[in-house]
Amino acid sequence: MQRLAPALQIEHDASLRAYNTFGLPAVARTLVHIRSALDVRRVVDHPEFGRAPKLVLGGGSNMVFTRDVAPVVLKMDVRGRRLVETRDDAFIVEAGAGEPWHEFVEWTLANGFPGLENLALIPGTVGASPVQNIGAYGIELKDRFESLSTVDLVTGRSVTLDARTCAFGYRDSVFKQEGFGGLAGKSVITHVRFRLPRPWQPVLGYLELERRMHESGNFQPDAQTVFQWVCDIRRSKLPDWREVGNAGSFFKNPVVTVEQCRDIIGRDPEIVHYPMPDGTVKLAAGWLIDACGWKGKTVGRAGVYEKQALVLVNRGGASGAEVVTLARAIQESVYGRFGIRLEPEPLIV
């Protein structure tokens, strides 16, 4: 006897407050829980939803809701974690798009597949990680990426994409790009595969990790130790979104030319900056915001976190409009002093 696939799980007038880490109020006219690639295809074929605009929602850690959502919200609940292949030079592991990212990192370490420890404690889901090309403490997702599976939102066809096709950049990918060649709003990631190098080598070039090595006297840490260091560092300066609503780093670190950096250093010698391999210079957005006096400030019910100026927080009951008003005030302030336009990381909906 043939087993029938479970029906689509659909909610109407669904609150999204619990589905975004900022804890912002918004209501989705229609929310569909996506548990498999088949569910995506069934949405594409649906007489009502098929041609309707859609918004893909993972852990909501990179979204700022400023209003109720008219497009059909696809809540990614695809789960599952597995070892796909053991190669001489790498473990290939896979996770469903709805898996919480940090729990997946913990699973890889517990099962002897190190390589993602520098990306510990980043909020959000596995499916969102390549969209944003998440990065922290010397590693970007593209450094550990193998391939991913998507479903086309027009044809319902499943496609496997490699790193080149994903067009990874700094906090960027083809999934954030619109127009010809971009996949923003055109496809849904269902599974992501990672290449974790063998033999494992720690990535410890980041200043705060070097400081931990010297403080502990441990100059050959294992992956679990690096994982714990990263967790401790992040907890010391970033609020837990379950306690204080936030979306992590709100602005991208701006990248400027050497000449621009030299000009800013001439006026502000203490500016935190990092030379990049391509000859550009990355500036610390948090430093720029702090230098403009924003750390700890509040506008309405949205504020700037006291320990890290790069993080905007919900002081309690904030609306998306209040968060955006604060962000724009910060952008104007930084531009007025440094001539640099800060670009938000989260998607403003």
Side-chain angles (χ1 to χ4, degrees):
M1 182 170 132
Q2 186 178 12
R3 252 178 102 183
L4 294 175
L8 282 175
Q9 186 181 344
I10 302 169
E11 295 182 52
H12 296 288
D13 297 325
S15 172
L16 298 176
R17 190 188 291 272
Y19 293 146
N20 73 97
T21 60
F22 244 119
L24 300 173
V27 172
R29 186 177 299 167
T30 305
L31 184 144
V32 183
H33 292 270
I34 301 297
R35 295 157 295 186
S36 66
L38 175 61
D39 278 352
V40 182
R41 287 191 284 274
R42 292 163 75 190
V43 168
V44 171
D45 293 337
H46 195 280
E48 182 184 351
F49 306 150
R51 298 192 173 208
K54 298 171 186 70
L55 174 71
V56 180
L57 179 61
S61 62
N62 202 45
M63 291 223 177
V64 176
F65 290 111
T66 61
R67 59 178 69 88
D68 291 342
V69 182
V72 175
V73 175
L74 305 183
K75 177 68 179 73
M76 299 308 296
D77 293 332
V78 182
R79 304 301 288 258
R81 305 175 292 213
R82 67 186 181 105
L83 173 66
V84 176
E85 183 184 354
T86 301
R87 300 176 185 168
D88 290 340
D89 63 343
F91 293 111
I92 309 300
V93 297
E94 178 188 84
E99 287 287 341
W101 173 259
H102 180 67
E103 291 177 19
F104 172 61
V105 174
E106 289 181 311
W107 176 86
T108 60
L109 292 174
N111 286 274
F113 315 132
L116 297 176
E117 54 283 337
N118 293 56
L119 302 177
L121 221 57
I122 294 178
T125 56
V126 167
S129 64
V131 176
Q132 188 75 358
N133 185 25
I134 60 173
Y137 302 102
I139 292 284
E140 286 187 318
L141 177 117
K142 68 180 178 64
D143 302 323
R144 298 289 185 260
F145 181 79
E146 172 71 8
S147 64
L148 56 77
S149 299
T150 71
V151 178
D152 189 288
L153 282 174
V154 174
T155 66
R157 190 165 62 97
S158 294
V159 181
T160 298
L161 302 183
D162 60 13
R164 183 183 62 80
T165 311
C166 289
F168 292 122
Y170 172 58
R171 301 298 177 269
D172 194 23
S173 73
V174 71
F175 300 100
K176 294 182 74 174
Q177 296 160 15
E178 299 179 348
F180 181 76
L183 291 179
K186 298 176 184 176
S187 66
V188 177
I189 297 169
T190 59
H191 294 84
V192 186
R193 287 164 291 280
F194 302 85
R195 183 173 59 251
L196 307 180
R198 302 176 65 199
W200 172 82
Q201 293 288 333
V203 176
L204 299 167
Y206 206 85
L207 180 62
E208 287 169 295
L209 292 176
E210 290 180 353
R211 188 177 295 130
R212 293 273 166 160
M213 275 196 300
H214 287 280
E215 288 173 353
S216 66
N218 184 355
F219 293 92
Q220 293 182 311
D222 59 16
Q224 189 63 46
T225 300
V226 176
F227 169 85
Q228 195 56 56
W229 286 349
V230 169
C231 289
D232 290 345
I233 293 167
R234 290 185 71 91
R235 287 187 178 116
S236 71
K237 62 182 184 179
L238 299 173
D240 185 335
W241 63 268
R242 286 167 289 249
E243 298 171 7
V244 180
N246 73 91
S249 298
F250 197 91
F251 297 102
K252 297 179 182 179
N253 290 318
V255 177
V256 300
T257 65
V258 172
E259 291 74 20
Q260 285 174 302
C261 185
R262 228 181 260 130
D263 179 57
I264 295 171
I265 289 173
R267 289 178 281 125
D268 291 272
E270 295 180 359
I271 188 168
V272 178
H273 61 285
Y274 309 94
M276 304 297 286
D278 62 0
T280 59
V281 181
K282 185 187 293 184
L283 306 180
W287 188 93
L288 298 172
I289 297 166
D290 192 12
C292 292
W294 281 101
K295 187 185 285 186
K297 294 290 179 63
T298 298
V299 173
R301 290 165 293 183
V304 181
Y305 190 51
E306 292 77 6
K307 296 181 181 179
Q308 170 55 267
L310 196 53
V311 177
L312 305 191
V313 297
N314 183 347
R315 300 284 191 206
S319 66
E322 287 176 308
V323 173
V324 171
T325 297
L326 173 60
R328 286 176 179 160
I330 291 170
Q331 287 173 304
E332 290 173 10
S333 183
V334 170
Y335 183 75
R337 175 166 174 181
F338 297 102
I340 291 171
R341 297 192 185 279
L342 292 182
E343 185 180 346
E345 278 197 31
L347 176 66
I348 311 295
V349 178

